[in-house]
Amino acid sequence: MPFHNLQELRHSASLATKVFIQRDYSDGTICKFLTKFPAELDSRIERSLFEETVKTLNCYYAEAEKIGSQSYLEGCLACATAYIIFLCMETRYEKILKKISMYIQEQNEKIYAPRGLLLTDPIERGMRVIEISIFEDSGSTSSSSTGSSPSSATAQ
Amino acid sequence: MKNREYQQIDPQALATPPPRPPPEHMPKRARRKWEVFPGKNRFCCDGRIIVARQSGVLPLTLALIVLTSGLFFIFDCPFLVEHLTGCIPAIGGVLFVFVIISLLQTSFTDPGILPRATPEEAADIEKQIDNPTGLSSSYRPPPRTKEVVINQQVVKLKYCFTCKIFRPPRTSHCSLCDNCVERFDHHCPWVGNCVGKRNYRFFYTFIVSLSFLTAFIFGCATTHLALRSQGGNGLVVALQFSFTFFTALELVVCFFSVWSIVGLSGFHTYLVAANLTTNEDIKGSWSGKSGNEDVGNPYSYNSIIKNCCSVLCGPMPPSLIDRRGFVPSDDSVQTRPVEIELPAAKNDINMVGRAVTSGRPPPPPPPVVTVQQPAISIQSHSTA
């Protein structure tokens, strides 16, 4: 059931189920999500689009948690000021979290909402899962057929 | 582009008691999330400050530090400035400020609390666990664990029955605070809070600077007494007894503190260098105590400098519990301006957008979709 825009989704959708993309701990405690394609989304979205989204999110989180010269500088400066600087300044992690929420919003509007899906920002679920809500068109009972509109997800 | 916002079903609205007729009194104000926080923490300043339930010893810690330092500044500094150098109160002042600030930050920072699972998440996990894995229905499954391989090491993730999640690696549930805490080190009663991923660096700064402070005061007090006893005969010493009494008191306090605090600092320096937590060290998770010779710490970078840098100078992770966000209330549709007119008859569950968190400029409003009652009934687990 193709939803051409959020307006349609809004007026005629009802929540069918939610799919949870779990964390991938194979690289340790860093924030990374599994790219395994859930079966429930099989008929709703192309595998490549989904994987692209998750991989881009993983890249963002990896960048946020990267231990490099910039994070050392931030850490040492913070220590020297007895960490008071954390109260005044926005940390690099927080800046990247904002970028992530913009990216998710853009993905939702361009790719997921037209297919009757909705991504939830992982920060709202304690960074444990990416929650994907699947909506069904409450008016129709026909089987789903997603119109494929190729759109490239641009990472910011 | 139109200004759209996503409205989602908030888990906490579902986690509250099953749907019942709206209460007689409508809540006059939207409540913040810290007010409905399921753990045992307490909050001050409208959610800006978080402490554990039993913060009983923190005032004692503060009092000891402030008193001893106060005595030092009042009774030792004048004498030592006169007889030695004016740097002494300056150094003491800097150390004292560092100690107090890092103590307060350790106590009042969220240590890395993991929010509890939403009912849908919990249901999803339950479904995965109860999925037929070749076991017959009569066989009682063992305590829920999941295995992952990290750095060629098999790590068992345990299921937390309180929080209804599989705990990430290095996460542990603190029974005093009733929360799962990431990179759980220990619950420190002196500080009145758990020590975890987010406040470990504050805790380390606190104990190291406190070691320096106690050693410094100890040294200065000893020097003070030594200089005084050199200069005078018995009568003069007796006359000055009232002053030296306080110095002696400082000596005693510092003497006992120095051993324990310096010892603790040394222990934590070892933990930092090895990228271990107190919890792991005590349990012997990676030291092969259980007889398995193949274990090693999978989180260590095998370089002392890299370990130290990653633990102390790594990026500061955000707080996951969003204390100052607003709890979506049932009557939020009426109280908040919404763009869409919902069909009143069909609308059983009201949604709100994510609220603005404190201190930072609000993020761009996420797209909103208001939905009708879910077609599938979701089991709501009570968050114990």
Side-chain angles (χ1 to χ4, degrees):
Chain A
M1 48 237 67
F3 294 102
H4 297 295
N5 51 31
L6 282 176
Q7 208 94 26
E8 255 188 57
L9 191 63
R10 210 186 281 153
H11 287 302
S12 58
S14 65
L15 181 65
T17 184
K18 291 189 184 186
V19 178
F20 297 97
I21 312 297
Q22 299 286 342
R23 284 271 292 270
D24 177 9
Y25 293 118
S26 56
D27 282 338
T29 51
I30 60 164
C31 185
K32 195 176 166 194
F33 291 95
L34 290 169
T35 49
K36 181 170 159 291
F37 189 64
E40 294 90 338
L41 294 181
D42 204 11
S43 52
R44 304 299 292 250
I45 189 170
E46 291 84 355
R47 182 186 290 253
S48 57
L49 286 174
F50 167 80
E51 281 178 3
E52 171 79 32
T53 309
V54 178
K55 279 184 185 155
T56 313
L57 283 175
N58 285 342
C59 283
Y60 273 122
Y61 286 119
E63 193 197 323
E65 299 190 5
K66 192 176 65 168
I67 305 171
S69 53
Q70 197 179 356
S71 76
Y72 288 158
L73 202 61
E74 200 182 48
C76 290
L77 184 67
C79 183
T81 61
Y83 301 109
I84 294 189
I85 206 164
F86 284 145
L87 300 171
C88 319
M89 215 177 69
E90 193 182 51
T91 65
R92 199 164 133 259
Y93 209 119
E94 283 166 347
K95 289 189 184 125
I96 295 186
L97 283 180
K98 283 200 179 141
K99 280 196 210 166
I100 288 174
S101 76
M102 300 279 296
Y103 174 72
I104 288 181
Q105 183 182 351
E106 180 210 339
Q107 288 283 291
N108 272 330
E109 284 177 1
K110 287 195 187 149
I111 298 180
Y112 288 85
R115 291 167 170 77
L117 300 172
L118 193 67
L119 287 178
T120 305
D121 195 336
I123 191 76
E124 306 209 16
R125 296 289 177 263
M127 309 265 267
R128 288 187 307 266
V129 287
I130 304 176
E131 186 182 290
I132 305 181
S133 310
I134 302 179
F135 293 95
E136 299 288 342
D137 188 5
S138 55
S140 98
T141 52
S142 58
S143 60
S144 63
S145 57
T146 54
S148 58
S149 48
S151 58
S152 56
T154 53
Q156 290 163 356
Chain B
M1 191 158 64
K2 286 184 193 170
N3 185 22
R4 300 193 183 105
E5 289 184 328
Y6 281 125
Q7 290 182 340
Q8 300 163 3
I9 301 174
D10 188 277
Q12 288 180 329
L14 290 176
T16 50
R20 47 186 165 81
E24 288 171 13
H25 62 282
M26 291 295 197
K28 293 282 187 284
R29 60 174 182 86
R31 291 193 301 170
R32 296 206 187 245
K33 286 184 186 169
W34 65 264
E35 299 180 58
V36 296
F37 187 70
K40 286 187 188 161
N41 297 85
R42 287 188 294 182
F43 298 87
C44 311
C45 294
D46 200 19
R48 288 183 183 88
I49 293 178
I50 178 172
V51 287
R53 165 158 294 209
Q54 291 118 359
S55 56
V57 196
L58 173 63
L60 175 66
T61 312
L62 268 171
L64 269 175
I65 295 173
V66 170
L67 265 172
T68 314
S69 308
L71 291 178
F72 165 75
F73 285 118
I74 296 172
F75 293 105
D76 292 334
C77 278
F79 181 85
L80 289 169
V81 164
E82 199 184 308
H83 286 78
L84 281 179
T85 165
C87 287
I88 288 184
I91 297 173
V94 167
L95 283 174
F96 176 72
V97 162
F98 252 83
V99 165
I100 295 292
I101 291 180
S102 48
L103 170 62
L104 293 178
Q105 289 192 320
T106 313
S107 301
F108 298 149
T109 305
D110 167 18
I113 296 174
L114 276 178
R116 297 191 182 181
T118 60
E120 298 97 351
E121 267 180 77
D124 189 61
I125 294 180
E126 297 261 338
K127 211 169 47 173
Q128 284 172 20
I129 293 171
D130 293 338
N131 249 351
T133 49
L135 303 170
S136 64
S137 56
S138 57
Y139 171 71
R140 188 166 174 73
R144 298 165 176 180
T145 53
K146 203 161 72 167
E147 285 188 355
V148 289
V149 177
I150 300 175
N151 213 355
Q152 288 108 42
Q153 196 75 244
V154 174
V155 176
K156 274 210 173 97
L157 304 184
K158 289 193 188 155
Y159 181 76
C160 181
F161 286 90
T162 312
C163 303
K164 305 255 188 314
I165 55 171
F166 274 101
R167 285 187 211 127
R170 312 192 96 174
T171 302
S172 195
H173 191 95
C174 175
S175 48
L176 287 166
C177 303
D178 205 23
N179 292 314
C180 271
V181 177
E182 285 193 290
R183 204 185 183 277
F184 180 74
D185 196 85
H186 66 286
H187 182 101
C188 185
W190 294 95
V191 150
N193 200 3
C194 290
V195 177
K197 183 161 94 168
R198 295 187 76 244
N199 66 350
Y200 187 75
R201 64 191 74 194
F202 304 144
F203 176 74
Y204 186 74
T205 310
F206 167 61
I207 55 175
V208 167
S209 50
L210 188 60
S211 317
F212 281 114
L213 181 67
T214 46
F216 184 72
I217 294 181
F218 185 76
C220 289
T222 313
T223 313
H224 180 192
L225 281 181
L227 289 176
R228 273 199 192 271
S229 62
Q230 272 175 13
N233 53 24
L235 182 62
V236 178
V237 170
L239 280 174
Q240 291 168 335
F241 179 71
S242 58
F243 296 109
T244 54
F245 165 73
F246 291 109
T247 309
L249 183 65
E250 288 168 45
L251 260 182
V252 167
V253 170
C254 287
F255 181 76
F256 288 111
S257 313
V258 152
W259 296 115
S260 45
I261 303 284
V262 170
L264 190 65
S265 303
F267 174 63
H268 276 277
T269 307
Y270 156 71
L271 290 181
V272 164
N275 203 334
L276 281 173
T277 64
T278 307
N279 201 29
E280 286 164 355
D281 190 68
I282 288 178
K283 286 186 187 166
S285 312
W286 314 117
S287 64
K289 280 185 192 168
S290 54
N292 184 0
E293 294 300 324
D294 286 334
V295 294
N297 185 5
Y299 312 107
S300 170
Y301 294 95
N302 293 319
S303 147
I304 290 181
I305 295 182
K306 203 147 186 227
N307 282 339
C308 291
C309 288
S310 83
V311 174
L312 301 175
C313 299
M316 183 69 179
S319 175
L320 298 174
I321 55 176
D322 188 28
R323 307 189 282 279
R324 302 200 69 235
F326 286 98
V327 175
S329 51
D330 285 342
D331 58 337
S332 59
V333 172
Q334 286 89 29
T335 52
R336 288 190 186 208
V338 285
E339 295 172 41
I340 310 131
E341 293 279 313
L342 295 167
K346 290 183 188 174
N347 188 34
D348 286 337
I349 294 179
N350 303 311
M351 271 57 70
V352 296
R354 180 165 185 249
V356 174
T357 53
S358 72
R360 315 261 183 252
V368 159
V369 171
T370 54
V371 299
Q372 301 168 353
Q373 188 175 15
I376 299 175
S377 67
I378 298 163
Q379 290 179 358
S380 58
H381 295 252
S382 60
T383 54

